[in-house]
Amino acid sequence: EILEISNLNDDDDNFTTVLPSWVYANLDIHANTFINEDFKAKNLSAKIQYNNNDLKLECSELKMEALKGSITSSFMYYENKINDLILKSNISLNKVDIQESFISFKNFGQTFIKENNIKGLTTANIYLQSMWDKNYKIYSESINMNAQIKIEDGELIEFEPMYNLSNYVSLEELKEIK
């Protein structure tokens, strides 16, 4: 972990900030390989700045080859005047393998559709904004996402909810939808 923020206590009346004011950073990162659990990327590069006066962490250029495609991103993570944390990010995916994404991110913590039920390549532009309180509890109503997504060579494989259409289409045709 590059930076660890100390434990926060709700009862601390002297609490003033979540993000550290004692750090200033201006980083150019280049990594041939990046691994986090099951996620693997190569040729990762990023320009990251942390301004301790504004309590703002900003990444203007994050690029990597991952999930059999490429990913670029920029984000800003900062603290507002009442110590809420705000994340604003733009993410672009170019021909990212959907099945590899499900495998790498452990089906995104859900069981409705799994890596063995889906295939295809996705190209997408995603804008995401969210807010947390000083104890990193997300304000669920603050989540705002806008995405344009294109899926090529998409397949649903033995996706059981589709079997409900078997009164209209043969069950055999519903086992693999392209």
Side-chain angles (χ1 to χ4, degrees):
E1 304 218 358
I2 296 174
L3 178 65
E4 182 178 317
I5 299 174
S6 63
N7 290 335
L8 302 173
N9 184 347
D10 280 333
D11 300 330
D12 187 355
D13 293 333
N14 298 323
F15 179 84
T16 57
T17 184
V18 174
L19 296 173
S21 59
W22 51 270
V23 174
Y24 176 82
N26 188 1
L27 306 169
D28 279 331
I29 298 172
H30 300 278
N32 292 333
T33 305
F34 173 83
I35 300 171
N36 183 15
E37 294 185 19
D38 293 333
F39 177 77
K40 297 175 180 101
K42 58 184 180 178
N43 300 324
L44 180 139
S45 65
K47 293 184 184 295
I48 299 175
Q49 293 181 312
Y50 179 71
N51 184 329
N52 57 355
N53 291 327
D54 297 335
L55 300 175
K56 184 189 300 183
L57 176 68
E58 196 167 4
C59 178
S60 58
E61 299 176 33
L62 173 64
K63 299 176 183 177
M64 68 184 89
E65 296 170 25
L67 308 169
K68 299 182 181 175
S70 63
I71 301 170
T72 59
S73 178
S74 64
F75 65 85
M76 186 181 341
Y77 182 68
Y78 62 96
E79 189 172 331
N80 67 13
K81 292 178 182 175
I82 58 172
N83 303 114
D84 287 329
L85 299 164
I86 300 166
L87 171 68
K88 294 180 180 182
S89 63
N90 288 297
I91 305 162
S92 295
L93 309 174
N94 186 27
K95 298 195 184 277
V96 167
D97 187 294
I98 297 169
Q99 189 173 49
E100 286 292 318
S101 300
F102 273 71
I103 292 168
S104 290
F105 295 107
K106 298 179 177 78
N107 294 308
F108 300 98
Q110 53 84 47
T111 58
F112 182 71
I113 187 167
K114 294 184 175 183
E115 77 270 0
N116 57 329
N117 300 123
I118 194 163
K119 287 185 180 177
L121 300 175
T122 187
T123 298
N125 290 311
I126 303 164
Y127 171 78
L128 175 65
Q129 179 177 323
S130 56
M131 288 178 59
W132 294 268
D133 69 13
K134 68 180 182 178
N135 296 308
Y136 299 101
K137 182 178 179 217
I138 194 162
Y139 298 123
S140 56
E141 65 279 358
S142 76
I143 299 171
N144 178 14
M145 185 168 105
N146 185 344
Q148 294 84 37
I149 301 170
K150 175 183 171 184
I151 297 175
E152 298 175 68
D153 301 321
E155 294 183 41
L156 286 175
I157 305 155
E158 296 183 10
F159 184 53
E160 290 189 22
M162 294 301 293
Y163 295 173
N164 293 333
L165 298 173
S166 65
N167 290 340
Y168 311 102
V169 181
S170 78
L171 185 58
E172 202 56 41
E173 289 182 33
L174 291 172
K175 287 186 177 181
E176 189 171 340
I177 300 172
K178 295 183 180 187

